[in-house]
Amino acid sequence: MAPAVTSLRKERDLKAREELILDHARRLLAEKGFQAWNMEQLAVAVEYSKGTLYQHFSSKEDLVLAVASRILNLRADLFEQAASFKGSTREQGRAIGLASCVFAHRHPDFFHIEMMLKSASFWEKASPERKEAHARAGARCWRTLYNIIVSAIALGDMPRLPWSAEHATMALISITIGSHVVGMEHNLRVFAGIDNPLLSVRLNQDLVCDGLGWKPLLHEHNYAATDQRIVSEIFPDAAAFLIPA
Amino acid sequence: MAPAVTSLRKERDLKAREELILDHARRLLAEKGFQAWNMEQLAVAVEYSKGTLYQHFSSKEDLVLAVASRILNLRADLFEQAASFKGSTREQGRAIGLASCVFAHRHPDFFHIEMMLKSASFWEKASPERKEAHARAGARCWRTLYNIIVSAIALGDMPRLPWSAEHATMALISITIGSHVVGMEHNLRVFAGIDNPLLSVRLNQDLVCDGLGWKPLLHEHNYAATDQRIVSEIFPDAAAFLIPA
Amino acid sequence: MAPAVTSLRKERDLKAREELILDHARRLLAEKGFQAWNMEQLAVAVEYSKGTLYQHFSSKEDLVLAVASRILNLRADLFEQAASFKGSTREQGRAIGLASCVFAHRHPDFFHIEMMLKSASFWEKASPERKEAHARAGARCWRTLYNIIVSAIALGDMPRLPWSAEHATMALISITIGSHVVGMEHNLRVFAGIDNPLLSVRLNQDLVCDGLGWKPLLHEHNYAATDQRIVSEIFPDAAAFLIPA
Amino acid sequence: MAPAVTSLRKERDLKAREELILDHARRLLAEKGFQAWNMEQLAVAVEYSKGTLYQHFSSKEDLVLAVASRILNLRADLFEQAASFKGSTREQGRAIGLASCVFAHRHPDFFHIEMMLKSASFWEKASPERKEAHARAGARCWRTLYNIIVSAIALGDMPRLPWSAEHATMALISITIGSHVVGMEHNLRVFAGIDNPLLSVRLNQDLVCDGLGWKPLLHEHNYAATDQRIVSEIFPDAAAFLIPA
DNA sequence: CATGAATGAGCCTTCATTCAT
DNA sequence: TATGAATGAAGGCTCATTCAT
């Protein structure tokens, strides 16, 4: 069935072009925010016409939401890879912590884009499909960490706390996001003398895990060795910045 | 000296008007982000002309930065009030945690505005005075918490950690900001079944304080009683949402 | 090659529209100067949108400079046509004198626009290409007259003067421009009883040519007959105002 | 009569302030044209308030016209001083030529301002008194030169020409203005290798005087000596640039 | 009379979006 | 289907002018 083959290729090409557009849009968002670039510039960058852009995305806002969802899915991908790490539940949690660092390193602009999306005006101009896709991508990240914590409690690695597993999940996500956001602070070096924010992120995650009583605690286990394994097995490309000399 | 009196009143009026403008600008920023409102709308809202707005602020970006600085100073005010609480150092830290909740309750839009400021384009159009003022306001918040942690270490309330007092400060600020940002997540109830994000913020802060080994630990002291004292002595107006039934 | 044909037509249409815009802009400049009209009015006049204007010209200043360059090139065209007149060098000089009258008649507003360009602010906002084009157009006019004067000296029609050929060129251009500028004086009729300034221009040019000793002098030759030939051979359309009854 | 004295002083002060305003406005016009400065800047420069400016001039256009008239009167003053020179009529004409150079040197921006005034929009917003004053100032310049030429013809210094004395006046004014305008050309050095345009002005005036047959002709008299006398008797301050080494 | 804060019409320029080719 | 010229609403900012003090 020749036509089917053709249409498959067409679809594949279309998908590839969409990726190309999203890549460049992400770069522009990271560099300039939302308003300091226009569709013309994006069209030139991807070497397609403005009209073609509008065949993929119904508006500039829709496009930005698509960028955000795509990054969020990449984040979920990293989390899921990390969750597959063979080890104790806390080690798996640690793997997700490292995954969040890999992600922050690859997408330092992500939180910026996410905050953009808090503006009501975005959601008014984005297509319903896009909105739903974004919610799904967000849920994937939560679920991956949540499942590990549920296991940890079931296995007795984490004490049955006076609060829910969902809450513990939120605590870890909060320290992670908070650390990354604070790490973006212009004056961080001035305020706190911190040069490598990614290291701080993991330290902070450790504090929360210890606070949750997640066994083995920081001082009960050689997590540096765990980090070595996680990096070599799951994020070999990221060794350079995850394991500083 | 009649003229002096007149000019004093003028100055006071001017200051009051600036506050009025900043208040409305804050509201617009919270509701619509940066681009979905214009100076005309703000002028109508404050019942002054556009030209008058530009006598106070040199550009829209300058105005937004002024809004951010003003809120940041209010945050520092709350932190400093909290730091004056009479009690153990951890209780003082907790007072600052409550202050951050009072602040988040009063200025739920603050983090949104701060993320806006990460765009380079802002800093290009804002006046130098405004930029410096913003840095100063940020420093006030950090310093207040930092001083308490330094005391805690000096008094033996917090163990001499393998990392610096600055780092501990950053950890607490990170969990606080992260919790507030995650608390703004549209789907939080869906993802984690959490209805009152402000309670989670304090729980998360406790986790980090315990992680830091800040005595007395959560289970060693009745912090509910401490909260009662902090609220009644420092934030009596905020009792309703800080001490839920 | 159909596409080539299409693109040729497109290019032609584009060029035609640019001419249209320049024509109307010239009219507005002549009638109102620089500030008493806006791009909206021009857009309405040419029956295109403002956005389209900005696809041709990068700013209002750029547009004005383009108007000036275009007129200056028309002036150079007339000069070059005049220089091709078969006759003595002084007759060729006279032909250029008539050309300047034809030009002044067609573009009475030109000097006004040129003076506008003396303001520094213009050159800051115009594109470099436009600036260079303007300098080139100016050079064409000078060169045409200069070449004739060089010939006149070489042939012995003009004595070797105590000053340079360039200087003689400047003298003739000065009397020409000066006469046209003075001819625009509102009160010329009141001050000097002069009704037809164009006649005065030529008289003044004759004075300078005689002053330069350019043979044959005014009283040595029947220049009225020369004028007849110049007009019929080169500027037949301009007979009406060049050769008054 | 004390009140009279007071009001006299007041009037004098008022006049002085008007001069101050006109001086600064002239400077701004020369430097920036019409639109690139505003009344606020002028007010700051003269150290009076904007409101005070408007007590002297009914609009910005009115002010500009006043500047032009004042300069034109200064020009007429110079011409009248020159006309008082004791010597032949051609020497008096030459004195006026030098006067025009002194003027151009003192007010290099004058022609720019005059061309500005060709725009209809100016005359619509200027007060009638101001318009009339401007016409009177223009007439003074013409009349001064005209009177000399009438004398020249009456005394036989200039042949009874086939055109009127008014016309001869216009020729001299034209070459003068034309030379100054051409002398302002940015590319003059490039086009004609001319570095000192003021010298060219006088050369050009000589060409026209010779063309008019005004005795004694350039080669019949030592005009360099005349220039020395004119400068020392009438424009001693201007020796530096009128008599180059 | 002097001031300068307040006004608001006006303008250049941008840019998301459309649609004829 | 791809293009990119055309559109025109929108918005930031200016500034001449007024008028209450």
Side-chain angles (χ1 to χ4, degrees), chain B residues 163-183:
Chain B
W163 48 79
S164 66
E166 281 91 350
H167 201 117
T169 309
M170 187 211 166
L172 270 163
I173 290 190
S174 294
I175 192 64
T176 303
I177 289 181
S179 303
H180 285 306
V181 167
V182 172

Side-chain angles (χ1 to χ4, degrees), chain D residues 78 97-108 180 196-200 202 227 231 235-245:
Chain D
L78 286 174
L98 289 186
S100 84
C101 290
V102 172
F103 175 77
H105 187 257
R106 289 191 192 156
H107 305 284
H180 285 305
N196 184 343
L198 282 190
L199 286 185
S200 308
R202 284 147 71 189
D227 288 352
V231 169
F235 307 117
D237 297 344
F241 63 88
L242 286 179
I243 312 280

Side-chain angles (χ1 to χ4, degrees), chain D residues 89 149 152-161 168 172 212-215:
Chain D
T89 55
I149 287 177
I153 295 171
L155 295 171
D157 289 345
M158 192 186 292
R160 197 161 301 278
L161 299 161
L172 271 163
L212 288 165
W214 198 346
K215 302 278 167 56

